Amino acid sequence: MRYGALVGVIATLAVAGGQTVSFPIGYYSYEDIAQRMSVGGRRVVCSPDLNNAIVLLHLKPRDWNQTRRILENTLEIQFRPAGEGDDRWVLARPSELRKQDARLIEALARTLNAELRAQRTVLQRIAQSRVPIEQITMDSASRLFGKTFSRDPELARYEYQRLMETVELLRGAPFQELFANWRNLQQFQKAFAEGIPREPLCVLQVDPSSPITQQRKPYERPPIDWQRVIERFLENYSIRDFGIHPSLLRLAEQHARLPQSEWSTRYGKHWFDDPSHRMVWALRNQCGKLLKILQEHVHATIAQRLHPPLNLQNALEQSALAQVYTLEVDTESLALWLGDAEGVLFLPDAPATTRIELLATVQWYESMIGYGVRCRYILLHPKPPRERRIFFDESAHLAFSHDTLSRLFEKAAPPLQQRLQQALRQHHSLLEEPVLRQFPPRAGDRSHSIYERLHEWAQLQNQEIAVEKAMTWDAPTGWCMALRLYVKESTPIHEALRKHTQYAEALLDRYETVWTLRNFVAFLNRLQRVPVAPIRRLVLSDGAAADWNLFYQSLTPLQAARLVNRSGYIPEWLRDGKTLLIDADFASAYGKAWLIWHILEQLPASERERLLQEPRWADVIPIPLGRLPASAKARLAEVFRLWALTSLAAEGFYIADRRDQVWFDMLTGRLPMDEFLDAVVLERRHGGWELRFNVSDPSLPGGVLFFISGLPRAGGVVWKPIF
């Protein structure tokens, strides 16, 4: 009794002295955690590398050191003494973890780079291989040619079938002979296409039975009569007219004699009774495939010759890269790429090589099942015919599962590989815990993130939990969270966690009495630096000038540029369930607000304060960027280059409108930065801001509008009822 009383007295004194810490269930930034841990004379400050993250947290009252130990174990953080004594602490990532993250990113970039290089040599290795076709299995094809097949069995079989068709085509003759025959192949394709009926110019149809006149109905092209197309071709040509390589003619003739079942496997539903018709159809397919193969060879050759190569690690860290290259290429290869079989662009006496200019781009992306890079190579010079954009693509992908992660860890972080296996065993064991299975699912089809479901479970079951949320830029649903992390209300929480096991980013664990999720892909989440915490802090603030300035200081130019191109809404958990103003409901609004504040920062303080005050209804206050000092323009130039890159990358480097064209011209050097800045004007209007690019084009009297924004504004962004 006396011992129990003594413990109670000690606990009471500890509480009275501010020695215990608790965290009511909710979402916390690391700055919030540092503030709550600043008790008992201790002062904890948060390192900038934790500035962006959000944590789902619920801890009951504990001794400070015990709470510290739990947070360090579950959140991969460290309370580091900031000097002599124990009253000053820094909350940060452990230095060993940062080094490990760097090794993993480097290993991932090497893996993706190796896949790109392997893809570029597949055709060359096929052409050089002498292994009999009947001995090439899916496994041996991977070893022989460096070909990577899909993890989906059905798709992998399809890819293997297409690969074997390529092997069959390239085995018929030396590669250089087939390459030299490309013009003949294209001329045959063009002659065949002459028999295909043209699309009508007018597709407006009137339904006389409708009471509404001039009713538009969707246009449906009638099916093509391929039998008649072949007959027209044979009426005008012979397949011997085009000088097609004998190996292709022999192959087409062999295929024409195939039984219908084998024919259908290769050529689908189109069957022709006449063997000569089947031969034309087979030859048409083979010519098309071989032309595509030869073009892929040209693309691979060009990509291999770029020096220095695109830095994939920088692309992972910055989301996208773009670089202009100038190089000499074989003129015949360039003619093939552009489809100039008639010699219109490159005359017969053209030089053997031609200098070209390319915009090479690489973009990091995340899909439902993994991560990868997309490369796009856009021809800038010689200018493509008829204003067409000529480009080719490459991509490399790593499907993240505990198997692929284990192989990655084996090279870059062996201890992490062992921890992954232990975490998988612990995960499967804890999924059987009764407290997890007692949480009843809802009857509904709405989806919520797995963190929201865990929040609800921990609250109803009074469970302690500490989980850092996995944030990502590429989120098609809402903003900042991968779609695979969403689960239906009707799915029990333990089943949702079980289904998600393969991704190894939400493995259930428990430290003492505190539940957590082990995320073995966290090194990528940390790399992306999605600014969730700064936006949440701003949303829940009063919106004073100091709040907006703190938000501005918390983001890098790259984070702001990436925000602008995110159309997702601010999720309910981030805004604490509050309703936001219309101008503040989307993530992109905060990226635009950052740029406006960045421009305002280049102005004198008095002018900045004046512009923050909303003008009268009819007033428009222009801020021409060309009038800013040279030092301010240099700072803005760096920001706008990032904006151009991220904006174009978000559209796959397509030019969809005049705004994209401005970004493209600036990125490729067609539009000098000084000229760009001289033409940009920020306008302060009643209700918001407008950023425009003035052009001397009568058809665009208002210039090119980059965006309209209601932020930044004086006052908070949470909607409050007037009455």
Side-chain angles (χ1 to χ4, degrees):
M1 290 289 292
R2 281 181 291 181
Y3 173 77
L6 179 61
V7 171
V9 170
I10 293 174
T12 302
L13 291 174
V15 172
Q19 298 296 310
T20 64
V21 185
S22 66
F23 289 86
I25 191 165
Y27 296 108
Y28 295 83
S29 67
Y30 279 109
E31 185 177 327
D32 297 332
I33 293 174
Q35 290 176 359
R36 291 189 73 89
M37 292 292 285
S38 296
V39 295
R42 297 180 181 87
R43 181 171 181 269
V44 182
V45 296
C46 186
S47 172
D49 65 343
L50 296 175
N51 181 56
N52 302 297
I54 286 288
V55 176
L56 169 60
L57 196 55
H58 177 213
L59 296 180
K60 296 173 183 177
R62 276 182 177 79
D63 170 78
W64 190 91
N65 285 310
Q66 192 178 11
T67 304
R68 168 194 169 187
R69 187 172 63 252
I70 290 172
L71 293 173
E72 289 182 334
N73 180 277
T74 56
L75 302 179
E76 295 189 295
I77 56 174
Q78 181 182 56
F79 287 82
R80 187 175 65 242
E84 296 183 0
D86 60 353
D87 59 342
R88 295 291 183 269
W89 299 81
V90 175
L91 180 59
R93 297 285 183 203
S95 59
E96 297 80 5
L97 183 66
R98 294 199 303 271
K99 293 175 183 177
Q100 177 180 276
D101 284 0
R103 291 196 304 272
L104 289 171
I105 294 299
E106 185 179 353
L108 176 58
R110 283 199 308 269
T111 301
L112 296 172
N113 227 334
E115 184 179 339
L116 286 177
R117 289 197 303 271
Q119 290 175 14
R120 294 166 189 162
T121 62
V122 167
L123 293 176
Q124 181 183 356
R125 294 168 73 173
I126 290 175
Q128 294 173 348
S129 174
R130 291 297 175 261
V131 177
I133 291 180
E134 60 272 12
Q135 296 181 14
I136 301 175
T137 64
M138 191 179 296
D139 290 337
S140 64
S142 297
R143 294 193 304 271
L144 290 168
F145 311 135
K147 171 67 177 177
T148 302
F149 294 101
S150 171
R151 294 173 61 198
D152 180 83
E154 186 174 348
L155 182 56
R157 285 193 297 271
Y158 172 81
E159 292 172 344
Y160 171 69
Q161 183 180 350
R162 298 283 82 80
L163 178 71
M164 295 309 297
E165 291 173 0
T166 299
V167 173
E168 188 178 37
L169 284 169
L170 295 183
R171 286 291 178 84
F175 186 83
Q176 290 306 319
E177 289 185 17
L178 295 174
F179 185 87
N181 199 232
W182 75 268
R183 294 178 188 270
N184 306 59
L185 305 181
Q186 194 167 84
Q187 288 164 0
F188 172 84
Q189 295 288 82
K190 182 179 179 182
F192 183 89
E194 291 173 1
I196 301 175
R198 295 181 178 275
E199 290 262 23
L201 293 177
C202 180
V203 296
L204 177 64
Q205 297 180 352
V206 178
D207 184 3
S209 65
S210 172
I212 304 174
T213 59
Q214 300 297 314
Q215 179 181 2
R216 285 185 174 91
K217 297 174 63 178
Y219 171 70
E220 296 182 3
R221 177 174 179 162
I224 298 174
D225 184 351
W226 291 111
Q227 175 80 32
R228 182 62 189 132
V229 172
I230 295 173
E231 290 172 354
R232 290 195 190 103
F233 172 81
L234 291 175
E235 288 169 3
N236 297 301
Y237 304 99
S238 165
I239 58 175
R240 309 289 176 180
D241 294 343
F242 300 93
I244 293 176
H245 197 280
S247 66
L248 293 179
L249 296 177
R250 285 194 301 269
L251 190 60
E253 191 173 4
Q254 291 171 13
H255 288 184
R257 293 196 296 266
L258 290 173
Q260 186 171 356
S261 59
E262 292 185 42
W263 170 275
S264 299
T265 301
R266 288 178 175 272
Y267 298 106
K269 63 181 180 179
H270 299 294
W271 169 259
F272 311 97
D273 294 329
D274 190 331
S276 65
H277 291 183
R278 294 200 295 274
M279 184 174 177
V280 172
W281 186 258
L283 189 61
R284 179 242 185 183
N285 279 267
Q286 290 162 13
C287 288
K289 289 174 183 176
L290 185 54
L291 276 171
K292 184 178 179 182
I293 290 169
L294 296 175
Q295 287 178 336
E296 289 175 356
H297 167 71
V298 171
H299 300 161
T301 302
I302 291 174
Q304 286 173 321
R305 293 191 53 213
L306 297 183
H307 184 77
L310 289 170
N311 190 318
L312 294 193
Q313 185 168 343
N314 286 349
L316 299 185
E317 295 170 352
Q318 301 177 28
S319 81
L321 286 179
Q323 187 171 337
V324 176
Y325 289 89
T326 301
L327 66 157
E328 294 282 336
V329 301
D330 174 59
T331 301
E332 189 70 0
S333 296
L334 185 57
L336 169 58
W337 183 15
L338 299 179
D340 185 31
E342 291 80 14
V344 175
L345 299 175
F346 305 99
L347 301 177
D349 59 348
T353 62
T354 300
R355 176 166 293 185
I356 68 170
E357 196 174 58
L358 283 175
L359 177 65
T361 71
V362 57
Q363 179 186 3
W364 164 256
Y365 74 93
E366 177 176 342
S367 69
M368 277 290 291
I369 60 172
Y371 305 83
V373 289
R374 297 188 187 99
C375 302
R376 173 157 289 178
Y377 305 91
I378 304 169
L379 182 63
L380 303 177
H381 180 80
K383 194 173 182 181
R386 298 184 297 278
E387 299 300 323
R388 289 187 300 131
R389 277 176 30 98
I390 304 294
F391 61 87
F392 65 90
D393 295 332
E394 292 182 314
S395 65
H397 184 262
L398 187 67
F400 269 169
S401 65
H402 44 79
D403 292 332
T404 54
L405 280 173
S406 183
R407 288 193 293 271
L408 186 69
F409 296 161
E410 184 180 11
K411 300 175 183 178
L416 198 57
Q417 183 187 35
Q418 184 177 2
R419 290 204 294 273
L420 172 59
Q421 300 308 317
Q422 295 171 346
L424 285 167
R425 290 192 293 269
Q426 176 77 333
H427 173 73
H428 288 295
S429 174
L430 290 174
L431 286 175
E432 305 302 322
E433 288 281 325
V435 70
L436 203 65
R437 292 171 170 265
Q438 291 167 2
F439 179 55
R442 297 180 184 177
D445 289 331
R446 290 188 61 191
S447 293
H448 302 274
S449 76
I450 205 163
Y451 304 110
E452 292 172 89
R453 296 296 308 279
L454 285 171
H455 182 290
E456 185 181 3
W457 166 77
Q459 191 168 35
L460 291 177
Q461 301 288 339
N462 193 29
Q463 294 294 307
E464 294 182 292
I465 191 169
V467 178
E468 182 176 318
K469 304 187 77 168
M471 301 289 108
T472 179
W473 289 103
D474 296 311
T477 298
W479 175 69
C480 76
M481 195 168 297
L483 183 60
R484 62 179 174 274
L485 285 168
Y486 282 79
V487 295
K488 288 187 176 181
E489 294 174 322
S490 56
T491 304
I493 188 68
H494 66 279
E495 285 299 326
L497 289 167
R498 188 187 306 279
K499 291 177 181 178
H500 204 75
T501 303
Q502 61 173 316
Y503 302 115
E505 62 183 347
L507 300 181
L508 197 62
D509 196 6
R510 186 169 54 197
Y511 180 75
E512 295 183 0
T513 60
V514 181
W515 295 84
T516 190
L517 295 180
R518 302 297 181 186
N519 180 5
F520 286 86
V521 196
F523 67 97
L524 282 174
N525 300 124
R526 290 190 282 265
L527 177 72
Q528 295 191 57
R529 301 182 181 91
V530 183
V532 180
I535 291 180
R536 177 178 168 84
R537 183 172 56 233
L538 177 64
V539 165
L540 301 182
S541 73
D542 294 331
D547 298 318
W548 282 103
N549 190 60
L550 179 59
F551 168 75
Y552 167 75
Q553 299 291 341
S554 300
L555 267 63
T556 66
L558 178 59
Q559 287 176 305
R562 297 189 74 177
L563 268 178
V564 169
N565 298 291
R566 304 297 148 182
S567 58
Y569 59 87
I570 301 297
E572 186 174 353
W573 63 265
L574 191 147
R575 47 189 165 89
D576 214 20
K578 297 179 172 61
T579 301
L580 301 183
L581 299 173
I582 293 176
D583 290 330
D585 204 23
F586 289 87
S588 59
Y590 298 89
K592 297 170 185 176
W594 187 95
L595 176 63
I596 293 170
W597 199 276
H598 186 65
I599 294 173
L600 296 180
E601 282 290 304
Q602 316 309 317
L603 305 176
S606 58
E607 187 174 357
R608 184 166 62 246
E609 293 174 5
R610 179 176 66 89
L611 289 168
L612 286 174
Q613 303 302 315
E614 191 166 27
R616 293 177 300 178
W617 181 261
D619 288 352
V620 176
I621 306 173
I623 309 165
L625 303 193
R627 298 181 185 175
L628 296 175
S631 58
K633 292 169 74 172
R635 289 189 290 271
L636 287 172
E638 177 187 356
V639 171
F640 277 115
R641 282 194 187 94
L642 284 172
W643 278 52
L645 178 60
T646 55
S647 297
L648 290 172
E651 302 295 334
F653 290 90
Y654 281 109
I655 308 300
D657 52 29
R658 291 296 295 267
R659 179 179 54 185
D660 290 343
Q661 188 65 57
V662 172
W663 291 135
F664 190 82
D665 291 344
M666 187 241 285
L667 198 63
T668 56
R670 270 73 175 155
L671 176 61
M673 182 58 72
D674 287 342
E675 291 183 20
F676 170 80
L677 290 174
D678 287 343
V680 176
V681 177
L682 175 66
E683 294 181 349
R684 179 61 161 126
R685 296 171 176 268
H686 180 83
W689 312 77
E690 292 185 11
L691 189 70
R692 295 182 180 274
F693 177 78
N694 292 327
V695 294
S696 55
D697 186 342
S699 65
L700 294 169
V704 177
L705 178 64
F706 284 140
F707 62 73
I708 299 174
S709 177
L711 305 179
R713 62 184 295 275
V717 297
V718 174
W719 179 82
K720 297 175 183 177
I722 300 175
F723 303 105

